[in-house]
Amino acid sequence: MNSVLQAFREQILQANKESSPLRIQGSGSKQWYGKPVYGEVLDTRLYSGVIAYEPTELYITVRAGTPLIEVEKVLQERGQMLAFEPPHFGENATVGGMLAAGFSGPRRAYGGAVRDFVLGITMMNAQGECLKFGGQVMKNVAGFDVSRLLVGSLGVLGLILDITLKVMPRPQRETSLVFAMSEPDALRQLNRWAAQALPITGSVFHAGRLVLRLSGSESALRYARHRLGGIEFDLADAFWLQIREQQHHFFMAEEGLALLRLSMPSTAPSIPTRAKTLIEWGGAQRWVWTHESIDTIRERVKNVGGHVTQFRYANHQQPVFEPMETALQKVHLRIKHAFDPNGIFNRGQLFSDC
């Protein structure tokens, strides 16, 4: 065990002995997400670097404190990428924070989510034990996939140390098309196109305008442009970066409001509410600013098979995440107790009592 890991272990064991909380944090680029977390900071940036990269085998293993931008640069040099297009939300975002938050970008609905590309993880639990799950290749195995369970866990289960990710080749070409249409028409078209063999890798609808991104070979893009129509978008690269990083003007803070993230079936109709909306992922992810109560929005979204998260600027008098059914919460608490019985990691992030 190297000196950094030994220091982590000593800090964790001391906190566990005293039942005092630890706040696992990299650059802090996503610390606004979820409920406020208090405690002594455990800084993951002390543990950084690429451990292994095999371009021909399509995997990379990195330490959790490694800046995400460094990993993307290494992959870009070999014509590869992280296919889930993770948001950074800060120039110093780390790979561990990316995994713990579980965020995916515009390619999510077309290329897969973060958890779909996690091959293996090494973590440290509250007893200071290093636990390894998974490996370097995708396998179908029986049992509980702990490596993927850690994706989106917000650090409540333990300290993520090493991460092995599946990587993908970058597209040969990309282009974007713009269409003018209403929200109901955009949802119908997106679902119709989803059933066709079209190289769509991003979709955004806002204020009467639908933007599609196409990725692939020149012949595939030529065929898609002919089928779809629309107008080519000259400033597409900057636009998709703004959407990924929530720097588009839609995401500017609305005074006194929380930015709500509605996760719902792509086939669900528009939610009847007076709100500003932006729709991604072929209709499966919908962003909302509204003065209507969160409880009202949650009930409407639940009725169509979805759930609501207070993504940014949360009102902490209301649940940030969709309240769990009692049985499911019991399962979560049992898993939490198995890894962190004294509740020292990111205490209160998901549940008030641990």
Side-chain angles (χ1 to χ4, degrees):
M1 184 177 291
N2 68 31
S3 59
V4 174
L5 294 185
Q6 183 60 38
F8 285 162
R9 184 173 186 272
E10 292 173 2
Q11 186 177 5
I12 288 170
L13 290 176
Q14 184 65 28
N16 195 44
K17 180 180 178 181
E18 300 172 357
S19 293
S20 59
L22 287 177
R23 178 156 52 101
I24 301 173
Q25 182 175 297
S27 69
S29 62
K30 303 171 185 66
Q31 63 183 349
W32 43 264
Y33 183 61
K35 298 178 68 175
V37 176
Y38 305 97
E40 181 184 359
V41 172
L42 195 162
D43 192 340
T44 66
R45 292 173 298 177
L46 301 173
Y47 189 64
S48 177
V50 175
I51 297 172
Y53 176 35
E54 294 293 340
T56 57
E57 299 295 329
L58 296 177
Y59 79 83
I60 189 168
T61 302
V62 298
R63 296 186 174 102
T66 309
L68 183 53
I69 193 170
E70 287 187 14
V71 174
E72 291 177 332
K73 183 179 179 181
V74 168
L75 297 178
Q76 187 172 14
E77 290 172 352
R78 300 301 296 267
Q80 296 180 336
M81 67 177 185
L82 298 174
F84 49 92
E85 201 172 3
H88 293 215
F89 296 138
E91 61 183 16
N92 297 315
T94 63
V95 177
M98 172 200 80
L99 198 87
F103 298 154
S104 300
R107 294 184 197 273
R108 160 60 177 99
Y110 311 96
V114 184
R115 70 180 68 249
D116 299 320
F117 293 88
V118 175
L119 300 176
I121 287 178
T122 301
M123 64 169 291
M124 186 175 291
N125 65 9
Q127 287 74 42
E129 300 169 325
C130 287
L131 309 176
K132 185 173 182 179
F133 305 96
Q136 285 82 33
V137 295
M138 196 71 74
K139 295 180 180 179
N140 293 318
V141 296
F144 210 47
D145 194 342
V146 175
S147 58
R148 297 190 185 187
L149 178 68
L150 291 168
V151 178
S153 64
L154 296 177
V156 303
L157 298 180
L159 174 63
I160 297 170
L161 296 174
D162 304 331
I163 304 156
T164 299
L165 296 164
K166 181 181 179 181
V167 301
M168 298 294 287
R170 299 181 68 84
Q172 293 180 27
R173 297 287 301 277
E174 288 192 329
T175 190
S176 294
L177 304 174
V178 182
F179 306 81
M181 60 181 68
S182 67
E183 182 173 311
D185 286 343
L187 290 171
R188 281 193 292 270
Q189 284 285 43
L190 286 167
N191 281 283
R192 186 169 68 86
W193 289 332
Q196 301 177 22
L198 294 167
I200 300 174
T201 59
S203 65
V204 171
F205 175 83
H206 173 59
R209 187 176 77 161
L210 174 64
V211 183
L212 293 184
R213 180 174 58 193
L214 308 174
S215 306
S217 65
E218 179 58 43
S219 60
L221 299 194
R222 186 165 54 247
Y223 169 77
R225 288 195 298 266
H226 175 73
R227 286 284 303 274
L228 295 168
I231 300 171
E232 291 204 44
F233 189 14
D234 293 334
L235 303 175
D237 288 347
F239 172 79
W240 290 110
L241 180 62
Q242 289 175 348
I243 293 297
R244 189 192 81 183
E245 297 301 322
Q246 295 196 341
Q247 295 169 350
H248 185 273
H249 63 81
F250 169 83
F251 294 103
M252 298 294 289
E254 293 275 346
E255 186 175 356
L257 297 182
L259 175 62
L260 304 182
R261 177 182 182 264
L262 281 53
S263 299
M264 51 203 302
S266 62
T267 54
S270 300
I271 297 298
T273 182
R274 291 172 295 174
K276 288 172 55 179
T277 61
L278 184 145
I279 299 174
E280 290 190 87
W281 298 2
Q285 177 165 266
R286 309 184 192 187
W287 302 100
V288 170
W289 297 102
T290 181
H291 287 278
E292 293 196 51
S293 75
I294 295 173
D295 286 342
T296 299
I297 301 298
R298 281 198 159 117
E299 187 62 28
R300 291 173 183 170
V301 173
K302 185 177 181 179
N303 287 339
V304 297
H307 64 270
V308 177
T309 300
Q310 293 192 74
F311 193 78
R312 282 186 186 264
Y313 317 114
N315 171 10
H316 290 109
Q317 295 179 350
Q318 296 280 344
V320 174
F321 304 104
E322 190 79 15
M324 292 182 188
E325 300 289 341
T326 302
L328 183 58
Q329 182 163 337
K330 286 181 178 178
V331 172
H332 277 250
L333 290 172
R334 286 174 62 189
I335 294 171
K336 167 71 171 173
H337 188 266
F339 286 97
D340 180 19
N342 291 324
I344 65 169
F345 293 124
N346 289 7
R347 183 177 294 173
Q349 178 78 82
L350 292 177
F351 306 111
S352 59
D353 55 346
C354 67

